[in-house]
Amino acid sequence: MNAQVEALLKDQVNKEFYSAYLYLAFSNYYHGENLDGFGHWFEVQAREEQEHAMKILKYLQDNGVKVELEAIAAPGVSFSNHREPLAAALKHEKYVTSLIHAIYKQARESDDFRAGQFLEWFVAEQGEEEKNTGDLIAKFDLLGGDAKGLYLLNAELKNRA
């Protein structure tokens, strides 16, 4: 494995765990606002981020790379309205996409074909993550200040796996 790709993947493990922690903070906010459906949606997102971290960790281990886990930074977020966590999530997903693209680019430039193939799943996954978050924001924005609509959207999110 290319040394630069290895270093980037090791760092990405921590960033994926941070993403999970960040989404738990968003979930906590929504549960505190009695929007348990939104809270549930972010819990699901947090589990997905943990799975991403574990997938990268397993890939590194399977390639003989020793990984030392780093501390996960506190999210340190606060919100003044119900839309802010959604916007923050989309911004964060775009950031993660840029990280995945940088690792993929490094893999291609260093002819690390196996890493490039492994990362293709993450490239596609990030497109899906951005779309899902963007779609949720669009639905939220369509509701404006309509409490009944927000209630229905919250109920829809509560029932998602």
Side-chain angles (χ1 to χ4, degrees):
M1 180 180 306
N2 174 270
Q4 291 173 310
V5 172
E6 178 182 314
L8 290 168
L9 285 170
K10 285 178 174 179
D11 190 47
Q12 192 63 31
V13 170
N14 183 270
K15 286 183 166 68
E16 296 291 339
F17 279 125
Y18 172 80
S19 295
Y21 206 43
L22 179 65
Y23 291 161
L24 286 176
F26 295 171
S27 173
N28 190 47
Y29 164 78
Y30 282 118
H31 282 296
E33 295 292 312
N34 294 316
L35 291 169
D36 293 337
F38 285 89
H40 173 73
W41 191 81
F42 275 109
E43 288 167 12
V44 170
Q45 301 312 304
R47 281 192 296 276
E48 283 186 15
E49 300 304 333
Q50 290 172 331
E51 290 169 6
H52 297 170
M54 294 303 298
K55 189 173 191 150
I56 296 169
L57 180 63
K58 180 71 172 143
Y59 175 79
L60 289 166
Q61 292 168 340
D62 287 349
N63 284 278
V65 176
K66 183 179 178 183
V67 179
E68 293 189 30
L69 300 175
E70 303 289 331
I72 301 170
V77 293
S78 61
F79 306 106
S80 60
N81 65 60
H82 298 137
R83 190 182 188 282
E84 285 180 3
L86 300 173
L90 182 57
K91 180 179 178 183
H92 184 73
E93 287 298 340
K94 289 179 179 182
Y95 167 68
V96 172
T97 297
S98 74
L99 297 172
I100 296 297
H101 287 180
I103 303 168
Y104 184 75
K105 181 179 179 189
Q106 182 60 48
R108 288 182 54 156
E109 289 174 356
S110 60
D111 293 334
D112 190 337
F113 302 111
R114 190 170 18 184
Q117 183 180 27
F118 169 73
L119 288 162
E120 286 176 5
W121 181 88
F122 286 92
V123 171
E125 176 70 7
Q126 280 309 121
E128 182 182 312
E129 296 289 344
E130 285 186 31
K131 181 184 180 332
N132 289 342
T133 307
D135 288 351
L136 183 54
I137 291 170
K139 286 180 180 180
F140 186 93
D141 288 347
L142 281 172
L143 299 173
D146 182 54
K148 289 179 185 176
L150 183 60
Y151 174 80
L152 292 173
L153 180 56
N154 185 61
E156 175 189 330
L157 294 172
K158 199 173 201 176
N159 294 321
R160 287 194 182 174

